[in-house]
Amino acid sequence: MRYFITPALLIALKDLYSEWRTRQVVVTMLIFSALVIVTFSFAFDPTRQAVEALIPGMIWVITVFAGILGLNRSFLSEQKQDQLHGMIVAPADPASIYLGKVIANYVFVFVVQAISIPLLLILFDFQVPGDYGWFLLILFLGTFGFICVGTLLSAVSIQSKSSEMLLPVLLFPLVTPIVIAAVEATRIVLAQDASISEAFSWMQLIVVYDLVFFVAGFLLFEYVLEV
Amino acid sequence: MIETNGLSKTIGEKTIVRPINVSFQGAETVAILGPNGAGKSTFLNMIAGLIKPTSGLISFHGNALKKDDYTLKEKIGFLSHQSFLYDYFTPIENLIFFGRMYKVENVRERAKQLIDEVGLKLFQNEPVRSFSRGMLQRLAIARALIHNPEYLLLDEPHTGLDQQAVSILNEVIKARQKEGVTVLMVTHDFQQVTDTCTRALIMRNGRLVDDLSISELGQDTLDSRYQAVVKSS
Amino acid sequence: MDNKNSIFRFLIPSKGYNILFYLAIPIVIMALYLTFIWSPVERTMGEVQKIFYFHVGSAWNAFFAFFVVLVFSILYLVKRKRIYDIIAGVSAEIGVVFTAIVLATGPIWAHSAWNTWWTWEPRLTTTLILFFIYIAYIMIRNMEGEWQKKARLASVFGIIGFINVPIVFMAVRWWETNLHPVVLGDGNEQSGGGLEPSMLFTLLFTVATMTLVYFLFLRKGIYIEQLRLETSKLKAKWQEKEINREAS
């Protein structure tokens, strides 16, 4: 634990502090998600009926695309001066580097979601019916699964010279279950006649996915990190 | 005591380091010399635990270096080609981050003291990204020393340093030597070798070709010995 | 002399390959005979139905090939033997080819059975995603850098790619039944239960034949990889010799 939780938190805090200093990644992600919202409203005429069908998909398109921007940077910032090598020789479990990065990446995406999703709802004049709790839970579970796989694959793709191109190609096919399940669950929760029980099976699927890939990331990260 | 046993590394089809058996005792300061591509850095990186050996063992005081032996890793200080430092952090923040990774107590004081020692006190609150190569190297040396390592591994520590910084570094190395720290240093700078080191290893084509004691040699002889060993084929 | 020996060693295909090869010829002819002449023509779909034997055979082989990738990826990470990496890579390539056959024959089947080229049917959709996953796997293998790095990263991806497959299948199946509840039933032709005995026999025979062909391809692929490796080693040796000659 001593060589696991502490380094993980240190790395996460280091990333958050660095981001606080520069505000490069999150600001870019925010601008990007605002552009996605605007582009969507041009591409699909946001009339009353269409909105309800559109919102769940848009929420996850914003999360996934803005998330990829952040994931691309996540390990690139550790490569300039081989800082990642510094972490490998440090007395820290390789999985703690993974955990730290997952936490930091999750927080970045969370900040983007916290600003862009309310903005989306306001611009499309959409009222969330009923309980916010389930919606937020689905948002958390889906994003977590996406970040788990994304962080692992980001560490894979930075070892290529064309990492920005490689990451989406690696990541999208693997996150299809998350995209399908999260969009469906969000659709059910945000429907006017929402019946939560229908979303449960989707949420179970997301939880299984989260667990499988969090554990996989944990176990496989040391192999990705080797020099 | 550091001991390697049949340590070798193959990258791609190329054998970078051929099986090396060598041991370093107590307060030795050992220079690793050799032409470019001799495998010096790879050898050092393997001892630091950065590169996984293709075969062979490394042991510290009879304990084999394993990937999950973190107490052993806490005792190794490693200066690489790259500084490992974060651009947007100040020297203090950089040292505190790495100090905490190594669980150093009173890390802020320790960081300040080291920044003093390498002569960067004036710049301690400037972000590192505006630093020159030499200043970065000074800070990188401080970073390697933050946790008072028992084994110090330096990869070309003198590159980019001015005359004053070189003498600071030599003082630092000599001070650690007195404390009983084992120092391994990959270098091309013969002057510094004769100034600070007690022993020199010469590598060529991934092999350890010579192992000599500096105290028994002057600079001329080290130089001629080196030339003779490297040229012969 | 040593070099020459090793060249000849690799130029002669192994005995195992020869046995597989000569075994495969009559069996493949037999399978073609069974499919096109012996087995009866299906009543509603006519000749097009015969594509089904190859469709199912390719699908089974694709999954099998990717399972082999998983097994040898794990073996590589544990043992770090180059041969495991080669087997995983060759198997992935063959798997992608079989997946492409599934994706090509699927729409032909769909067009004559349901009068639409593509349906988001769970098996077909999962196969499509599988295709993308292993294209990505091959992209990792084609990265620049030394083989150890590529093998390590590809192995990691080969493992998570395969454990993703059942989750994708579940997700797509639920999604499909939620969105298009009655586009098609649970394809009774594909369960095997509703098949004419002679059709079932032909199906099993073609699946077995294609598995044999898979192993033939695998053996050949490994052989080609080894040949390529040997060539690059010889080239490196020759270059080194030339450089040394010039230096002296």
Side-chain angles (χ1 to χ4, degrees):
Chain A
M1 281 297 118
R2 194 172 133 78
Y3 299 104
F4 182 70
I5 298 289
T6 324
L9 291 177
L10 265 172
I11 290 164
L13 281 175
K14 189 263 311 164
D15 272 11
L16 296 177
Y17 181 65
S18 173
E19 182 56 28
W20 177 251
R21 269 281 175 85
T22 60
R23 296 186 189 86
Q24 271 179 339
V25 178
V26 170
V27 169
T28 315
M29 284 160 82
L30 274 173
I31 294 171
F32 180 79
S33 52
L35 288 172
V36 170
I37 296 171
V38 173
T39 312
F40 261 83
S41 59
F42 290 143
F44 304 97
D45 182 26
T47 51
R48 261 292 176 205
Q49 268 107 15
V51 166
E52 199 175 300
L54 220 56
I55 293 279
M58 284 182 68
I59 288 172
W60 289 100
V61 166
I62 291 170
T63 303
V64 168
F65 281 84
I68 279 193
L69 285 186
L71 288 169
N72 256 328
R73 302 299 308 171
S74 178
F75 284 95
L76 274 182
S77 63
E78 307 282 352
Q79 260 201 329
K80 231 194 220 153
Q81 292 288 336
D82 278 346
Q83 289 93 338
L84 206 53
H85 291 180
M87 291 183 186
I88 297 171
V89 297
D93 194 309
S96 74
I97 303 172
Y98 173 71
L99 182 63
K101 284 288 177 187
V102 166
I103 295 172
N105 288 332
Y106 182 80
V107 172
F108 294 161
V109 175
F110 177 77
V111 171
V112 173
Q113 285 176 329
I115 296 171
S116 64
I117 292 175
L119 185 74
L120 174 77
L121 298 181
I122 290 168
L123 285 179
F124 281 69
D125 192 22
F126 184 83
Q127 292 279 317
V128 176
D131 211 345
Y132 275 97
W134 291 110
F135 174 55
L136 294 179
L137 182 64
I138 291 165
L139 214 53
F140 167 74
L141 290 175
T143 311
F144 182 72
F146 169 68
I147 293 294
C148 281
V149 188
T151 305
L152 180 64
L153 291 180
S154 165
V156 170
S157 71
I158 48 133
Q159 307 198 26
S160 160
K161 285 198 185 84
S162 47
S163 62
E164 280 98 341
M165 291 201 292
L166 190 59
L167 180 62
V169 176
L170 301 185
L171 188 51
F172 277 123
L174 283 186
V175 294
T176 35
I178 279 281
V179 173
I180 293 172
V183 170
E184 289 304 312
T186 315
R187 191 194 305 283
I188 292 166
V189 170
L190 291 186
Q192 295 302 336
D193 50 348
S195 57
I196 304 299
S197 57
E198 280 174 48
F200 280 157
S201 57
W202 289 116
M203 283 160 73
Q204 276 168 5
L205 188 80
I206 301 175
V207 168
V208 168
Y209 184 95
D210 287 3
L211 286 176
V212 166
F213 281 95
F214 190 56
V215 171
F218 239 77
L219 297 178
L220 294 173
F221 200 70
E222 65 172 287
Y223 298 108
V224 175
L225 224 55
E226 246 172 53
V227 179
Chain B
M1 191 182 84
I2 309 175
E3 212 173 355
T4 74
N5 214 322
L7 193 65
S8 79
K9 178 71 185 175
T10 306
I11 297 176
E13 312 299 336
K14 261 190 97 181
T15 307
I16 310 289
V17 175
R18 291 165 210 273
I20 288 184
N21 299 307
V22 69
S23 71
F24 310 101
Q25 320 281 343
E28 268 187 317
T29 303
V30 186
I32 302 167
L33 305 167
N36 291 331
K40 309 180 296 284
S41 287
T42 310
F43 178 63
L44 198 72
N45 285 341
M46 283 195 282
I47 295 177
L50 177 60
I51 293 181
K52 194 182 152 144
T54 304
S55 66
L57 276 177
I58 306 153
S59 54
F60 291 81
H61 272 291
N63 303 315
L65 178 67
K66 278 179 268 161
K67 63 183 174 193
D68 51 355
D69 188 349
Y70 304 117
T71 47
L72 199 53
K73 281 186 160 184
E74 273 179 343
K75 293 178 187 162
I76 305 172
F78 177 47
L79 172 71
S80 159
H81 274 293
Q82 301 287 344
S83 68
F84 298 171
L85 300 168
Y86 291 95
D87 274 0
Y88 289 97
F89 287 6
T90 65
I92 287 277
E93 286 163 352
N94 264 306
L95 290 188
I96 287 177
F97 170 67
F98 283 100
R100 291 213 171 118
M101 287 288 273
Y102 283 90
K103 314 206 161 37
V104 177
E105 280 164 29
N106 289 332
V107 67
R108 189 170 289 272
E109 276 163 41
R110 172 89 185 126
K112 279 192 174 147
Q113 176 206 334
L114 272 170
I115 286 173
D116 245 6
E117 200 174 343
V118 297
L120 286 176
K121 194 165 189 186
L122 276 174
F123 306 96
Q124 66 179 7
N125 292 319
E126 299 271 323
V128 164
R129 68 172 181 281
S130 59
F131 279 24
S132 69
R133 176 84 183 86
M135 285 157 81
L136 273 179
Q137 185 71 3
R138 290 184 191 207
L139 189 59
I141 292 163
R143 192 205 67 81
L145 293 170
I146 184 82
H147 52 295
N148 266 324
E150 280 177 39
Y151 312 97
L152 192 55
L153 312 173
L154 309 171
D155 197 346
E156 303 194 18
H158 297 95
T159 46
L161 296 181
D162 56 25
Q163 211 46 52
Q164 187 205 357
V166 166
S167 58
I168 290 175
L169 174 60
N170 288 352
E171 285 314 307
V172 166
I173 292 172
K174 278 176 186 159
R176 297 297 180 279
Q177 207 175 347
K178 283 204 189 81
E179 290 165 17
V181 173
T182 311
V183 184
L184 301 189
M185 167 161 84
V186 168
T187 186
H188 292 289
D189 196 332
F190 281 55
Q191 182 63 46
Q192 312 313 328
V193 174
T194 39
D195 279 3
T196 54
C197 297
T198 56
R199 182 180 166 195
L201 304 178
I202 301 175
M203 283 181 76
R204 197 174 134 266
N205 282 340
R207 283 198 185 82
L208 191 61
V209 285
D210 209 351
D211 183 346
L212 28 95
S213 164
I214 299 286
S215 46
E216 294 160 19
L217 290 162
Q219 198 202 342
D220 284 342
T221 29
L222 177 64
D223 212 35
S224 55
R225 191 73 178 262
Y226 177 81
Q227 296 298 345
V229 169
V230 169
K231 284 277 158 61
S232 72
S233 52
Chain C
M1 280 301 107
D2 209 35
N3 289 348
K4 263 190 177 163
N5 277 337
S6 69
I7 295 175
F8 283 129
R9 179 163 57 84
F10 277 101
L11 277 179
I12 301 163
S14 72
K15 213 176 230 166
Y17 175 78
N18 279 336
I19 292 172
L20 271 177
F21 184 73
Y22 289 112
L23 198 67
I25 293 173
I27 290 179
V28 168
I29 292 171
M30 182 74 182
L32 289 174
Y33 170 78
L34 285 178
T35 308
F36 289 107
I37 298 166
W38 184 72
S39 72
V41 174
E42 213 252 348
R43 190 144 38 90
T44 49
M45 286 182 62
E47 304 287 346
V48 179
Q49 184 265 343
K50 294 195 185 294
I51 212 171
F52 158 72
Y53 302 117
F54 297 103
H55 182 75
V56 174
S58 304
W60 145 252
N61 266 302
F63 279 103
F64 181 66
F66 295 144
F67 179 69
V68 170
V69 175
L70 169 79
V71 170
F72 281 90
S73 293
I74 295 172
L75 272 175
Y76 176 77
L77 286 183
V78 177
K79 299 261 159 99
R80 304 295 169 116
K81 293 257 169 60
R82 186 159 198 180
I83 185 70
Y84 296 146
D85 174 55
I86 292 175
I87 294 174
V90 170
S91 188
E93 280 172 20
I94 301 169
V96 167
V97 171
F98 278 122
T99 318
I101 295 174
V102 176
L103 292 176
T105 50
I108 298 174
W109 169 272
H111 187 68
S112 55
W114 310 307
N115 208 20
T116 164
W117 285 110
W118 182 265
T119 59
W120 291 99
E121 193 265 339
R123 267 162 289 213
L124 209 53
T125 312
T126 307
T127 312
L128 180 66
I129 290 164
L130 211 58
F131 184 67
F132 287 132
I133 291 177
Y134 285 90
I135 292 274
Y137 175 86
I138 290 173
M139 282 183 76
I140 294 182
R141 301 192 67 88
N142 288 338
M143 234 182 200
E144 71 287 344
E146 72 276 1
W147 72 267
Q148 287 98 336
K149 178 182 91 177
K150 291 186 278 190
R152 187 161 48 75
L153 298 178
S155 297
V156 168
F157 195 79
I159 294 169
I160 58 174
F162 195 82
I163 55 179
N164 198 27
V165 172
I167 309 180
V168 172
F169 182 73
M170 289 294 283
V172 177
R173 200 168 69 171
W174 287 354
W175 169 69
E176 184 266 342
T177 48
N178 271 20
L179 283 193
H180 327 277
V182 274
V183 170
L184 52 125
D186 195 27
N188 59 348
E189 295 96 333
Q190 290 169 41
S191 64
L195 276 182
E196 180 89 356
S198 63
M199 282 182 171
L200 183 64
F201 177 75
T202 310
L203 176 67
L204 291 177
F205 195 86
T206 28
V207 169
T209 310
M210 290 187 80
T211 313
L212 182 71
V213 172
Y214 163 79
F215 280 109
L216 194 68
F217 282 174
L218 188 68
R219 196 68 201 80
K220 190 90 183 170
I222 295 165
Y223 167 64
I224 291 171
E225 280 302 312
Q226 282 174 325
L227 215 57
R228 194 178 284 164
L229 241 159
E230 199 69 12
T231 322
S232 62
K233 264 185 202 161
L234 280 177
K235 228 187 223 166
K237 221 180 243 173
W238 177 79
Q239 267 174 352
E240 204 171 311
K241 215 193 275 169
E242 286 297 297
I243 288 168
N244 284 345
R245 207 173 51 133
E246 227 142 85
S248 64

